[in-house]
Structure formats: structure tokens, C-alpha cells
Amino acid sequence: MLTFNEYADNAHKTALYPDRGDNIYYPAFGLCGESGEIAEKIKKMIRDGDGILTDELRSSLAKELGDVLWYIAALSHEIGFELEDIAKMNNEKLLDRLARNKIKGSGDDR
Ligand SMILES: [Mg+2]
């Protein structure tokens, strides 16, 4: 099984952008771009594909999710966090909200 940090270590080997280690912009913009690619593919599924999630599209979306993960790993690194810690913090936050019946609603710190 691949852990988050093993993934991040491998991703880091392929992070060859300018000023790596002191550049939050590149992975932040990349994350937006790859997220946009996912939205675009789903938009086209609605527009051109009768809203049907084909196996080809599923596969394509899975690859784009991987691209999103790569940028999350890179941005995590740029802000000084391990990917594992990001995942752990998010799990803890949401499980805490669930326990307090605060999943619904808005606000980052509810
Ligand atoms: Mg992509």
C-alpha cells in the first residue's frame, strides 16, 4: 500500500518547477488548473455526453484527480506540511464536526 508520504516523496522527485521550495504560486495555480480540468470534463459530459459517466470518462477523471493530488502534495510541501498531516488534519476536522453534528452549515472553523 502506498502511504500519503510515500506518494508525496515520489511526487517531489518530479516537481521540477522554478524556485521549488520557495514558490507557493506554481502549485496553487496548478491545483486550480487541474481542478478546472475536472470541472470541464464533467461539463462536457453534460453538454455532449447526455450526462453519462462512461468508463473512458471515469478513467480520465481518475487521472485528473491524480494531477490534483500531485499539486496538493507540492503545495503542502511549499507551506511546510507533510501530505500525511494534511490528510490527518482534514479527517480529524470532519470527524469532529460529524461527532458534533456540524457537518452541514458553513464557516471554516465551525
Ligand atoms: Mg491534468
Side-chain angles (χ1 to χ4, degrees):
M1 188 171 80
L2 182 69
T3 68
F4 278 112
N5 283 345
E6 286 169 347
Y7 172 83
D9 287 345
N10 289 331
H12 197 60
K13 291 175 189 166
T14 63
L16 303 175
Y17 54 88
D19 300 321
R20 189 183 76 163
D22 187 28
N23 184 351
I24 66 170
Y25 306 107
Y26 185 90
F29 294 150
L31 180 57
C32 292
E34 295 298 341
S35 300
E37 287 184 38
I38 290 171
E40 185 72 14
K41 287 176 188 292
I42 293 173
K43 180 201 78 180
K44 288 179 178 173
M45 175 190 79
I46 295 165
R47 187 189 66 190
D48 303 329
D50 295 324
I52 297 169
L53 181 61
T54 63
D55 286 346
E56 182 183 359
L57 180 57
R58 285 180 64 246
S59 174
S60 177
L61 289 171
K63 289 176 186 171
E64 297 301 348
L65 286 169
D67 292 343
V68 167
L69 183 60
W70 189 95
Y71 280 107
I72 291 172
L75 187 53
S76 300
H77 180 78
E78 291 289 347
I79 65 169
F81 280 88
E82 301 275 350
L83 186 58
E84 181 88 25
D85 294 329
I86 298 291
K88 209 176 292 180
M89 287 188 299
N90 184 258
N91 261 180
E92 287 169 4
K93 177 183 78 176
L94 293 174
L95 290 173
D96 178 61
R97 285 181 186 171
L98 181 64
R100 293 181 295 106
N101 199 24
K102 293 281 187 185
I103 290 289
K104 291 182 180 175
S106 57
D108 287 341
D109 296 315
R110 62 184 189 276

